[in-house]
Amino acid sequence: MRKKSGSRRIILKAPWEIEKLREANQIVAQILQELRELVKEGITTKDLDRIAEERIREQGARPAFKGYYGYPAATCISVNEEIVHGIPSEKKVIKEGDLVSIDLGVILDGYYGDAAFSCFVGKAPSKQADSLLRATKQALYAGIGKAKPKKRLGDISSAIQEVADSYGFGVVRKFVGHGVGRSLHEPPEVPNYGVRGTGPVLKKGMVLAIEPMLTVGSYDVEILEDGWTAVTADRSLAAHFEHSVAITDKGPQILSDGFI
Ligand code: MF3
Ligand code: CO
C-alpha cells in the first residue's frame, strides 16, 4: 500500500477470523502458484490477469484490487524496473530474462487475502539480479520471524532492512506493508525500514501483510502516466514478495503459505 499518515487502532482477530483469513489467503496462494508456472516468454500480463480473475471467481471469491481506488485489474503485474502496481496489458509481452512480480488480492466472505512473489522468466539476467530476488525473499522471512507476541513492529521493519543493507540493496520507502482483515488495508503500516524495539507491541490476533520491495539501485520511486505503475526512479531492477501473517501464541503463521 501507499504510505499514508495518521493512525487508527489495530484490529485484533479472533481465531475463527484468522481461519477465514487463511481461507482467503489459501485461494491467493493457490492461484499465485499456478501463475508462477504460466509466466513464460510470449504470454502477456493481461493473459495472466484474465486467468487469475477466472480462478478467483471459480473459488467463489472476488478480486480485491479491482475497483480499489479505481484500479482496473485483478492482479498487479510489475516487470523489471516496475516495483509494484503494474497494470496488466495485452501490449505487455513477457520475455526471457524478465523479472516479473505478481501481486494478488481476493475477498472471501468479507475477509481479505493478499500476497505476492517475484520470479525470473528462465534464467536470471545477471548475478546481481539473482541476488536481488534471493535478498527480497530472505528479507520477507526475516521480517516474518519477528511477528510474535511481545515483539514490536519496529523489530519486523528493522529485520527486513538489515537483510537489504547486508546485500547493499535499496528498500523502497514510499510503499509499506499493512494490517489486513475485513479491509485490504488496515492499521498498522508495516514499513520495510525502521528501528528495532520501537513502535506498537505485537499481540496475538494481529494479522499483517508483510511486503518488502528491494531495488538494486536507488529506492526512489516514480509513478508512470497511468497513475499506478510505480517504477524505480533510476530504472534499476526491483523485486517484491508478500505474505499475510497471523501473530499467534505459537508464533507467526503464514496464512498465504504455499507458493514461495
Ligand atoms: N499488495 C498491494 C498493496 O497492499 C496491492 C494493492 S493494489 C491496488 O498495496 F490496486 F489494490 F491498490
Ligand atoms: Co499488500
Side-chain angles (χ1 to χ4, degrees):
M1 68 175 281
R2 195 165 306 198
K3 198 165 163 27
K4 302 189 199 97
S5 56
S7 67
R8 292 171 290 130
R9 290 184 79 85
I10 301 173
I11 303 164
L12 300 181
K13 277 82 183 177
W16 69 269
E17 292 183 287
I18 291 180
E19 290 318 308
K20 286 292 198 187
L21 288 163
R22 193 193 308 279
E23 276 180 51
N25 276 289
Q26 280 302 303
I27 293 175
V28 171
Q30 196 189 313
I31 298 171
L32 287 178
Q33 176 70 45
E34 184 181 351
L35 292 177
R36 181 172 206 170
E37 282 152 27
L38 292 171
V39 183
K40 294 264 161 64
E41 166 139 334
I43 196 162
T44 70
T45 58
K46 182 76 189 177
D47 294 332
L48 293 165
D49 184 72
R50 206 178 291 117
I51 293 162
E53 182 161 356
E54 256 173 50
R55 294 291 176 273
I56 294 168
R57 298 197 190 274
E58 281 167 16
Q59 306 274 342
R62 280 184 295 121
F65 300 168
K66 207 170 193 175
Y68 188 84
Y69 289 98
Y71 186 75
T75 58
C76 300
I77 307 184
S78 311
V79 182
N80 296 331
E81 74 282 3
E82 298 172 354
I83 309 165
V84 287
H85 303 168
I87 301 176
S89 156
E90 56 233 340
K91 292 197 205 98
K92 197 126 196 173
V93 185
I94 299 297
K95 23 178 230 319
E96 180 77 17
D98 278 346
L99 194 174
V100 180
S101 304
I102 305 185
D103 192 345
L104 177 65
V106 307
I107 321 176
L108 181 73
D109 294 342
Y111 288 84
Y112 282 82
D114 187 10
F117 70 93
S118 296
C119 65
F120 292 109
V121 183
K123 277 215 309 264
S126 68
K127 276 222 167 98
Q128 190 186 43
D130 189 54
S131 119
L132 176 72
L133 217 97
R134 276 187 291 112
T136 311
K137 202 188 295 185
Q138 190 186 325
L140 170 62
Y141 284 101
I144 292 173
K146 304 291 180 187
K148 296 176 183 169
K150 299 198 179 76
K151 295 266 182 207
R152 285 174 179 265
L153 194 65
D155 297 338
I156 296 178
S157 303
S158 62
I160 292 170
Q161 187 181 9
E162 278 165 23
V163 173
D165 287 351
S166 74
Y167 282 84
F169 292 136
V171 173
V172 172
R173 278 143 168 81
K174 184 165 176 157
F175 300 97
V176 291
H178 50 92
V180 59
R182 295 186 68 91
S183 310
L184 177 60
H185 295 145
E186 286 183 0
E189 290 191 349
V190 184
N192 298 304
Y193 53 91
V195 180
R196 75 171 68 172
T198 65
V201 177
L202 302 178
K203 294 197 177 93
K204 167 186 166 184
M206 290 183 180
V207 180
L208 304 176
I210 303 177
E211 47 179 319
M213 290 148 259
L214 269 54
T215 63
V216 303
S218 154
Y219 60 74
D220 286 331
V221 170
E222 253 177 53
I223 308 294
L224 297 186
E225 248 123 74
D226 60 21
W228 282 99
T229 312
V231 299
T232 51
D234 62 4
R235 303 300 191 266
S236 67
L237 286 180
H240 176 214
F241 284 90
E242 176 176 21
H243 266 316
S244 291
V245 179
I247 297 172
T248 76
D249 281 337
K250 287 182 249 146
Q253 278 193 25
I254 303 177
L255 304 179
S256 48
D257 206 12
F259 67 95
I260 42 176

